[in-house]
């Protein structure tokens, strides 16, 4: 922890640490959901979709890494056990029960939408007092927006293929 860096944030630092830990827990769940989905996936275009899911998994893990760094900078502790991930996360873990490509895309689109809302809220909460966390949240948010669009466009391609296949 850096003293002046923590003081800069002021009275709200514990609340910001709480939000950072929620995001951190959520990123681990997102990582695992993508990582496992990429392995289980079945159906049309599965190789293209699996490659995107696997890439997103690595990007979610990178988000967890950035968040852990910021939590420690502010004098906090990243949640210590996987048992806490589901309890802390603002976004639900959706087990890839159904390996069908469209089902996996829909689950992960839902997760990205939740992440986008959460990071927008984190930006709103840090705008005045914590420009460092604000900037971090902005960078992650931009990538979550990209993730949503990547998955939606794959979803659209699949729909087109099914509707217009062979014509
Ligand atoms: Fe993420
Ligand atoms: Fe994402
Ligand atoms: Mg992508």
């Amino acid at each position: 922890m850096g003293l002046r860096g923590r003081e800069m944030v002021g009275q709200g630092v514990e609340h910001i640490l709480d939000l950072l830990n929620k995001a951190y827990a959520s990123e681990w769940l997102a990582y695992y959901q993508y990582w496992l989905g990429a392995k289980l996936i079945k159906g049309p275009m599965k190789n293209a979709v699996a490659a995107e899911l696997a890439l997103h998994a690595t990007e979610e893990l990178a988000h967890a890494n950035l968040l852990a760094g910021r939590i420690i900078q502010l004098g906090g502790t990243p949640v210590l056990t996987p048992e806490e991930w589901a309890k802390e996360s603002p976004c639900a873990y959706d087990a890839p029960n159904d390996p069908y490509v469209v089902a996996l895309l829909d689950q992960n689109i839902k997760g990205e939408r939740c992440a986008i809302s959460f990071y927008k809220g984190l930006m709103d909460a840090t705008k005045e007092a914590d420009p460092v966390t604000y900037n971090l949240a902005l960078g992650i948010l931009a990538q979550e927006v990209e993730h949503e669009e990547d998955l939606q466009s794959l979803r659209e391609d699949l729909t087109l293929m099914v509707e217009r296949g062979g014509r």
Side-chain angles (χ1 to χ4, degrees), residues 27 30 34 56 60 63 112 115 143-144 147:
E27 292 293 351
Y34 272 126
H56 287 194
E60 306 303 8
H63 298 165
E112 294 298 343
Q143 200 155 45
E144 308 302 11
H147 286 173

Side-chain angles (χ1 to χ4, degrees), residues 5-78:
R6 183 181 151 102
E7 279 173 4
M8 173 196 76
V9 174
Q11 295 296 313
V13 67
E14 289 302 326
H15 179 58
I16 290 170
L17 278 167
D18 192 50
L19 295 175
L20 284 166
N21 248 321
K22 288 186 184 316
Y24 175 73
S26 184
E27 292 293 351
W28 275 104
L29 296 179
Y31 165 71
Y32 190 64
Q33 189 176 311
Y34 272 126
W35 181 87
L36 190 55
K39 297 188 186 307
L40 297 173
I41 191 164
K42 286 188 164 63
M45 289 172 53
K46 74 169 184 174
N47 290 337
V49 177
E52 195 69 45
L53 299 182
L55 178 62
H56 287 194
T58 68
E59 289 168 344
E60 306 303 8
L61 191 58
H63 298 165
N65 192 50
L66 291 168
L67 291 159
R70 183 65 184 137
I71 290 166
I72 291 163
Q73 257 181 3
L74 286 174
T77 307

Side-chain angles (χ1 to χ4, degrees), residues 105-113 148 151-152 155:
L105 283 170
D106 285 345
Q107 280 184 332
N108 287 298
I109 288 168
K110 191 173 135 213
E112 294 298 343
R113 288 177 182 164
E148 184 204 25
L151 300 183
Q152 259 192 262
R155 179 82 169 73

